[in-house]
Amino acid sequence: MKHFDGQFVWTVRRIVLIKKGVCKHMKKGVRNTRIGAFLFLLAPAFILYTVYFFVPLVMSFWYSLTDYDGIYTMNFIGLKNYVKVLQDRDFYAAMLRTLLYTLVNVPFKVLLPLGTAVLLTSKRLRCRTFFRAGLYIPVLLSSLIVGITINWMFGQEYGLINFMIQKLGGTALEWSMNPVLAETVISIASNWASLGYFMLIFIGAINNVPKELYEAASIDGADRWQSFLHITIPMIAPETFLVLMLSTNDLLKEYAVVQGVTRGGPGSSTTFILQYIYEQGFNSGKNGYASAISVLAMVVFLAIALVQFKFTNGGDDND
């Protein structure tokens, strides 16, 4: 009997050990499957990132060390292009123009979509879906098409805006000939093109704010403005930071809208850094020099992004 009991205990222990081994093997297999699935899902993004970002970045850096003309010549010249760029007054002018344009328009890129989102989440407003769809239409259009449309509206002779000004007894403005007016038109086009996209980000953020917070604030005597400042704004801080980063990036790399509106004119008053790079690389055949400008511009843009992360705490409203 004792022998049987010992045999039984030994058999049970063996079954338990086998079971543990099987479970361990199954867990390992599940873990390997998850890792494989993760890598499989990550592969397309990694391939696209490599082909369309990393490889061009490496090639651009290599071109910046050569006198590449885009067709035949490509001799290694070291840092001569960078030295030349740092002595180029036109480069500094284009970069300064780009930074000022970005600084002026960033508040509009953030505040206009935020205000629009607040209005379109109000229960007092009817046909909210209709207005949302209408404001989102420019996002579906090409930036170049948006620029051309705005350029037609602000045309000097046959533009809609000048037509309305003349009907009201005013004098038609030379939108394309005045540097300030030309940049104003570009700003209008850029903000109109991105309004719908950033508006949807803010609408989603506002709708996700717990309604209990507003109810508690109302009980404590807070009005709508106080609730907006002390509840809505802090709760949507991550989305606000996202819009800030995306809008800054778009403004620093503004190109298609400018081409559709002014083509960098009048003169070079709206020639931003991307227009200057295009002019040097494609119009002047200085691809190596243009690549050096691109690398330096990338460093400047990266520094701006790091500063934004530093001062906004990455969109985190918690200390």
Side-chain angles (χ1 to χ4, degrees):
M1 188 68 179
K2 290 182 179 180
H3 175 72
F4 176 77
D5 292 340
Q7 185 72 19
F8 177 75
V9 171
W10 180 84
T11 303
V12 171
R13 288 180 177 176
R14 186 176 180 183
I15 293 173
V16 171
L17 290 174
I18 293 173
K19 208 169 186 181
K20 286 183 178 180
V22 171
C23 291
K24 185 177 180 180
H25 180 73
M26 289 179 63
K27 289 181 179 179
K28 185 176 180 180
V30 171
R31 184 168 63 251
N32 292 336
T33 302
R34 290 178 177 176
I35 293 174
F38 173 76
L39 294 176
F40 177 77
L41 294 174
L42 186 64
F46 178 77
I47 294 173
L48 292 175
Y49 180 84
T50 301
V51 172
Y52 291 104
F53 178 78
F54 185 71
V55 172
L57 179 63
V58 174
M59 292 178 64
S60 180
F61 180 72
W62 167 249
Y63 290 156
S64 69
L65 301 176
T66 69
D67 59 352
Y68 183 48
D69 64 353
I71 303 177
Y72 304 109
T73 306
M74 191 168 62
N75 301 312
F76 180 79
I77 60 173
L79 300 177
K80 290 183 179 180
N81 282 328
Y82 291 96
V83 174
K84 185 178 178 181
V85 171
L86 295 177
Q87 297 174 348
D88 187 354
R89 293 183 179 180
D90 292 335
F91 164 74
Y92 289 109
M95 181 60 73
L96 179 61
R97 203 176 292 119
T98 303
L99 296 178
L100 290 176
Y101 170 78
T102 301
L103 184 63
V104 170
N105 283 279
V106 159
F108 295 101
K109 286 279 190 176
V110 177
L111 296 179
L112 286 178
L114 176 59
T116 305
V118 171
L119 291 175
L120 294 181
T121 52
S122 175
K123 295 181 179 179
R124 298 182 178 182
L125 181 66
R126 296 183 178 181
C127 302
R128 287 175 291 180
T129 303
F130 172 78
F131 288 114
R132 292 177 185 179
L135 290 172
Y136 191 78
I137 289 177
V139 181
L140 304 177
L141 302 177
S142 167
S143 297
L144 184 61
I145 299 299
V146 170
I148 294 174
T149 303
I150 294 295
N151 187 33
W152 169 79
M153 293 179 62
F154 286 88
Q156 182 176 344
E157 297 182 2
Y158 306 104
L160 176 63
I161 303 301
N162 274 346
F163 174 78
M164 296 175 62
I165 291 175
Q166 290 175 332
K167 284 295 183 181
L168 295 174
T171 303
L173 299 175
E174 297 180 348
W175 297 98
S176 60
M177 301 301 294
N178 187 299
V180 176
L181 293 179
E183 191 164 332
T184 301
V185 174
I186 293 173
S187 299
I188 293 173
S190 179
N191 283 281
W192 180 53
S194 63
L195 175 64
Y197 178 70
F198 294 143
M199 173 197 70
L200 287 186
I201 295 177
F202 280 124
I203 287 176
I206 293 173
N207 287 334
N208 285 331
V209 177
K211 301 299 184 290
E212 294 80 6
L213 297 177
Y214 295 110
E215 294 173 359
S218 178
I219 294 173
D220 291 338
D223 56 25
R224 292 181 180 273
W225 178 248
Q226 291 173 328
S227 297
F228 176 74
L229 287 180
H230 299 290
I231 297 177
T232 306
I233 294 298
M235 292 297 292
I236 66 173
E239 289 77 11
T240 304
F241 173 72
L242 174 63
V243 172
L244 176 64
M245 290 289 295
L246 292 176
S247 60
T248 302
N249 181 68
D250 290 344
L251 290 168
L252 289 171
K253 299 189 302 181
E254 199 79 87
Y255 178 78
V257 170
V258 180
Q259 290 298 106
V261 176
T262 65
R263 296 182 181 273
S268 60
S269 60
T270 58
T271 299
F272 301 132
I273 192 63
L274 255 66
Q275 277 74 33
Y276 187 64
I277 293 173
Y278 181 88
E279 179 183 340
Q280 295 298 317
F282 292 93
N283 294 341
S284 301
K286 302 176 182 177
N287 290 62
Y289 185 66
S291 297
I293 299 174
S294 301
V295 172
L296 292 178
M298 182 188 66
V299 172
V300 174
F301 296 166
L302 180 60
I304 293 173
L306 293 176
V307 170
Q308 287 182 323
F309 267 102
K310 178 67 177 179
F311 283 93
T312 60
N313 199 23
D316 187 3
D317 59 338
N318 298 321
D319 295 330

